[in-house]
Amino acid sequence: MTKKILILPGDGIGPEIVAEAVKLLDCLRADFGLEIETETALVGGAAYDDCGSPLPESTLDLAKAADAVLLGAVGGPKWEPLEIALRPEKGLLGLRAGLGLFANLRPAILYPQLAEASTLKPEVVSGLDIMIVRELTGGIYFGQPRGVETLASGERRGINTLVYTESEIERICRVAFEAAMRRGKRLCSVDKANVLECTELWREVAIRVGRDYPEVELSHMYVDNAAMQLVRAPKQFDVMVTTNMFGDILSDAAAMLTGSIGMLPSASLNADNQGMYEPIHGSAPDIAGKGVANPLATLLSVAMMLRYSLAAPEHAERIEQAVSKVLDRGLRTGDIASPGTETVGTAAMGDAVLEAIRAAAA
Ligand code: IPM
Ligand code: MG
């Protein structure tokens, strides 16, 4: 059955990197029999400029009707003066909430070819392969009450609230335990249970869910220590599971262990395995429009989409192997360049991946 993919290029470098993903999907459809149809819509600042909303209803409706959504990136300085409710980021948060994408999978894998690109010593990061499972539709990002209110004294007070129900914690923990079962069978749950009652509950529920996964070794870590351990000895981790906010922060740190945030894909899934796929980097307004952005995180996001939402793991492997081949050839975008490699632009990198896919099949 033909699967529907909604393409949301977004802002900044989003359209450039997504163009490479579209080329890739077209190639898989034309040459490898992948049965998909694609549609494109606006989100983020581009949507705000077009119709005054970062998430037009039409875009959310198309997303709901799709089997998977591919998103580039949203945001940029142009929209920073807007109130939070109208900012491009609200488009992203609205998609996550609207589609119920509570499980965010953020792998951090160091390609051996890029060991030199990490700011950490090669022995600390070589062979790194961790998976951060971030809760994505709850916690302080969405908790009520929220806002800025004016007190009787005239002083203003800003409020955000950290809330999790047991069922929200339970379902994300299950996703993390399942991921651990498919990997190294070790799960570290990250909380701040020494200070925050909400995450004391998190820990209790994680332990309870763990009883269903006796093969998985469950450990717990406070988030400050986890941040430290990630840069001290990251290879001690297999799968990490944590709240929305902690996961936001830890996944940026984990990404940088691999040398460039430009390499890492992500998947955000709901209970039906419908998903939104995006590179974990942002819209990089400083290099937008220059044709130098690294498209590999987006191409690897397509691979995750094929694996998790489109049940086509053979195509996912094609992409992942092609990316590795291209790195072997010494091709690099500026963000991952090192002495002795050849620096190429966005489109040339995308073309090289297609070539490698075709060559592998020839
Ligand atoms: C991310 C981003 C988003 C988040 C922003 C753009 C809203 O940092 O996906 O990690 O905080 O979740
Ligand atoms: Mg983030």
Side-chain angles (χ1 to χ4, degrees):
M1 203 185 74
T2 305
K3 303 275 188 172
K4 280 193 206 151
I5 302 174
L6 179 66
I7 312 269
L8 301 173
D11 310 319
I13 59 169
E16 297 158 56
I17 53 176
V18 162
E20 299 312 310
V22 170
K23 274 178 8 195
L24 171 63
L25 287 168
D26 285 344
C27 161
L28 293 175
R29 174 170 42 198
D31 298 355
F32 297 93
L34 178 67
E35 289 180 41
I36 47 163
E37 57 187 54
T38 59
E39 187 149 11
T40 304
L42 293 175
V43 72
Y48 174 80
D49 288 350
D50 183 68
C51 68
S53 160
L55 181 58
E57 235 170 83
S58 55
T59 297
L60 183 58
D61 288 344
L62 284 171
K64 284 182 179 160
D67 294 291
V69 179
L70 181 72
L71 183 126
V74 296
K78 178 176 174 195
W79 302 284
E80 259 158 39
L82 293 174
E83 58 178 292
I84 284 187
L86 293 177
R87 285 217 200 151
E89 290 80 356
K90 200 71 187 179
L92 185 56
L93 296 172
L95 281 166
R96 289 173 182 171
L99 299 175
L101 306 173
F102 69 90
N104 185 209
L105 310 183
R106 297 191 163 189
I109 294 171
L110 183 85
Y111 284 83
Q113 303 93 327
L114 298 184
E116 294 299 317
S118 175
T119 47
L120 276 83
K121 290 186 191 134
E123 63 265 32
V124 175
V125 291
S126 69
L128 181 80
D129 178 356
I130 62 187
M131 170 76 89
I132 296 188
V133 179
R134 168 189 177 194
E135 199 292 325
L136 203 59
T137 51
I140 198 167
Y141 271 56
F142 291 94
Q144 295 289 343
R146 65 186 298 153
V148 177
E149 61 185 27
T150 305
L151 302 174
S153 66
E155 189 190 12
R156 289 179 306 157
R157 176 164 74 175
I159 306 166
N160 288 98
T161 308
L162 173 62
V163 219
Y164 273 113
T165 62
E166 287 184 288
S167 54
E168 284 173 320
I169 303 169
E170 178 166 343
R171 65 182 182 176
I172 192 68
C173 285
R174 277 199 194 281
V175 170
F177 276 106
E178 293 289 341
M181 284 298 287
R182 291 191 301 268
R183 298 174 41 107
K185 300 207 168 89
R186 286 183 301 118
L187 175 63
C188 179
S189 169
V190 178
D191 60 41
K192 190 74 186 175
N194 51 345
V195 179
L196 304 173
E197 288 84 353
C198 179
T199 68
E200 212 180 3
L201 180 67
W202 179 284
R203 187 175 286 216
E204 197 187 302
V205 174
I207 292 169
R208 192 168 75 211
V209 175
R211 292 196 193 112
D212 294 340
Y213 299 88
E215 280 175 62
V216 176
E217 179 194 317
L218 172 66
S219 62
H220 306 273
M221 215 179 255
Y222 298 140
V223 62
D224 49 348
N225 185 29
M228 181 178 78
Q229 295 299 334
L230 264 179
V231 289
R232 191 188 72 84
K235 283 187 271 179
Q236 70 184 282
F237 297 111
D238 176 21
V239 180
M240 302 172 90
V241 62
T242 191
T243 65
N244 203 341
M245 175 101 248
F246 295 163
D248 179 44
I249 299 165
L250 293 179
S251 63
D252 265 28
M256 211 51 214
L257 301 173
T258 70
S260 174
I261 200 166
M263 289 298 298
L264 298 180
S266 75
S268 305
L269 304 173
N270 66 19
D272 308 318
N273 276 340
Q274 189 192 21
M276 181 160 79
Y277 298 82
E278 52 179 316
I280 89 154
H281 61 69
S283 61
D286 51 321
I287 56 164
K290 296 188 178 153
V292 299
N294 186 347
L296 293 180
T298 312
L299 301 186
L300 292 167
S301 297
V302 172
M304 284 190 97
M305 169 191 289
L306 290 162
R307 183 168 285 124
Y308 290 104
S309 289
L310 304 184
E314 70 283 8
H315 292 301
E317 264 155 46
R318 266 184 230 290
I319 298 172
E320 286 158 356
Q321 281 165 12
V323 167
S324 203
K325 276 267 162 49
V326 166
L327 294 174
D328 282 339
R329 276 180 60 199
L331 300 186
R332 305 280 189 273
T333 43
D335 56 314
I336 49 175
S338 61
T341 61
E342 182 188 341
T343 305
V344 297
T346 311
M349 185 57 107
D351 290 340
V353 172
L354 289 197
E355 246 171 65
I357 288 178
R358 293 204 175 101

